[in-house]
Every structure is written in C-alpha cells, then in structure tokens.
Amino acid sequence: MQLGAEVKFTVGTGTLFDSTAAKGSVSVVFEDDGTTGYLYAMEPSDEMRLLDALHIYNVADVEDRQLPVTAQLFWTVEETAVALLINGYCHALYDFQRQAGFCRNAFPPAQHGQLLKRELTDELLEQYFAA
C-alpha cells in the first residue's frame, strides 16, 4: 500500500481532495459538499471523465461530526486500485482495471453492466491489501 493523499477535516465543512496515480492515467477525488461525502473515480483528460461515484456518508447521519477526522487515499502497489480510509476505517475501494467500485452501503447501484454487487466487505479488502 502506498499513501496517495491525507487530509484532516470536519465532516460537513465542504472538503475536497484528490490523488492521482504516479503514471497520471487515473485519479480519485473525495468531496464533502456539506450534505454528503462521495468518492469519485476519474480518468484525467481535458475534461476529467467521471468513471464512478461512491456514496460515503450523509452528513446528518454522522455521529460526532463536529470532531476532526483524518481521511487517507491508499493505492495498491501497482496503482490499479485505491481505497478511502477515514479514521483508519476503509469506506470505499475503486478498482480501475475492473472498472468496479465498492462502498460500505453499496450506493448508488451499479450501472452499465458493471458488477451487481457493490458492497465493500473486509474479505474484499483483503484481496487488494493483504499484509
């Protein structure tokens, strides 16, 4: 695993941060717009093509949202997949090779022939980030 980005913020305060693979061919963006938190998988180009959006949280549902949190984006060694951790807990994973996104609440549903199962499980994480 390699750390791509890290930021400290308070949930609901409007935060945006990103990480791009060293080769520059793919990137992810985390956004807290004050209402929701989402992780976006992107293909950098002149227009930054959106590959997927993964729902992380609704601000109103986050307990202790007034306390600062640490968010991190970790890439696999090959930089083919990236995971979003908040306070050390993995909330989302995007696999660029399979063009498949996973998050804890499996929202939004998969589209355009993507995987039907989008729920992020600990077993799935072990496949990508085994020690």
Side-chain angles (χ1 to χ4, degrees):
M1 259 189 339
Q2 36 194 6
L3 181 63
E6 180 176 287
V7 66
K8 291 183 191 282
F9 71 100
T10 303
V11 171
T13 60
T15 300
L16 187 72
F17 76 103
D18 67 331
S19 180
T20 301
K23 297 172 191 152
S25 58
V26 291
S27 65
V28 289
V29 176
F30 173 79
E31 179 184 30
D32 176 325
D33 66 4
T35 304
T36 59
Y38 268 86
L39 182 69
Y40 303 103
M42 310 291 291
E43 186 176 82
S45 65
D46 294 339
E47 299 164 4
M48 286 296 286
R49 187 168 78 97
L50 176 66
L51 300 174
D52 204 351
L54 300 167
H55 180 261
I56 308 304
Y57 55 75
N58 292 321
V59 170
D61 297 334
V62 176
E63 292 182 27
D64 299 326
R65 64 181 162 270
Q66 74 283 0
L67 300 176
V69 297
T70 300
Q72 299 166 307
L73 294 168
F74 281 99
W75 292 89
T76 57
V77 174
E78 304 82 16
E79 293 186 324
T80 57
V82 63
L84 168 69
L85 281 71
I86 299 177
N87 287 344
Y89 181 77
C90 189
H91 288 268
L93 170 78
Y94 190 80
D95 182 326
F96 287 94
Q97 278 187 323
R98 295 173 55 199
Q99 293 188 353
F102 307 90
C103 57
R104 295 293 178 172
N105 62 14
F107 185 81
Q111 299 178 19
H112 310 296
Q114 294 175 342
L115 293 175
L116 296 177
K117 188 170 180 148
R118 285 176 54 98
E119 182 182 2
L120 179 62
T121 63
D122 292 337
E123 293 78 21
L124 181 64
L125 280 172
E126 287 178 23
Q127 293 175 22
Y128 287 88
F129 297 99

